Amino acid sequence: MTTSYEIWHTRLVQIGIAINLLFVVGLCFFPRQLLDFLSIPLEHLIWARASGMLLFIISVFYIPPTWDLKRYRAVAWFAIFPSRTFGATFFTIAVFVFGHPKGFLSIAIVDALIGLSTCYCLWHVTQAEAASGSPVPLK
């Protein structure tokens, strides 16, 4: 039985992947324009393109839980902890503690919003499974 929290988890993960792909396209194909828009200085654009490629690879790993949340439960939790959590924390600290350009907050905001909302849904899915006596193990 699919609950509304499972459906929303899938939708939110897919929205997060779509947003990530916007960054991927910008970083790989239009790095100067994207970085200028975000007011992020960067001399060697290869680093922006490499970041875009890595973001694409990370985003691919978010896909399996959208196919089958029970089978890929551990991947769903890894997408939240450490992936989205670390991204949001890293860029927030980079801006507010180390004084990097505020354009990096766009990454922190996306990761925080998607991470918190998917965590909320996944937590409710887990609680409902435990209440029904059929918890899904992490393996």
Side-chain angles (χ1 to χ4, degrees), residues 3-139:
T3 67
S4 62
Y5 287 110
E6 289 175 79
I7 293 168
W8 272 105
H9 178 270
T10 297
R11 288 179 183 162
L12 291 166
V13 170
Q14 291 170 338
I15 290 169
I17 292 169
I19 294 170
N20 280 1
L21 291 180
L22 291 175
F23 280 100
V24 168
V25 169
L27 289 169
C28 289
F29 299 107
F30 313 102
R32 175 59 57 212
Q33 293 84 353
L34 178 62
L35 294 174
D36 287 346
F37 176 73
L38 296 173
S39 301
I40 298 172
L42 183 64
E43 185 176 332
H44 301 287
L45 294 180
I46 186 72
W47 292 113
R49 289 188 168 106
S51 297
M53 181 183 64
L54 292 173
L55 182 59
F56 177 75
I57 293 167
I58 291 169
S59 298
V60 168
F61 287 105
Y62 295 158
I63 295 172
T66 66
W67 293 335
D68 188 341
L69 185 57
K70 285 185 176 26
R71 182 174 181 187
Y72 299 106
R73 181 61 52 91
V75 178
W77 282 113
F78 290 149
I80 298 168
F81 308 104
S83 186
R84 295 284 185 184
T85 303
F86 184 76
T89 304
F90 176 81
F91 286 108
T92 300
I93 289 172
V95 171
F96 292 115
V97 175
F98 297 106
H100 288 283
K102 289 187 171 72
F104 287 113
L105 284 178
S106 63
I107 302 166
I109 291 169
V110 168
D111 278 344
L113 289 175
I114 297 298
L116 287 171
S117 60
T118 55
C119 185
Y120 178 79
C121 291
L122 196 53
W123 175 259
H124 279 283
V125 168
T126 303
Q127 293 301 308
E129 290 168 347
S132 69
S134 58
V136 174
L138 293 177
K139 60 177 181 175

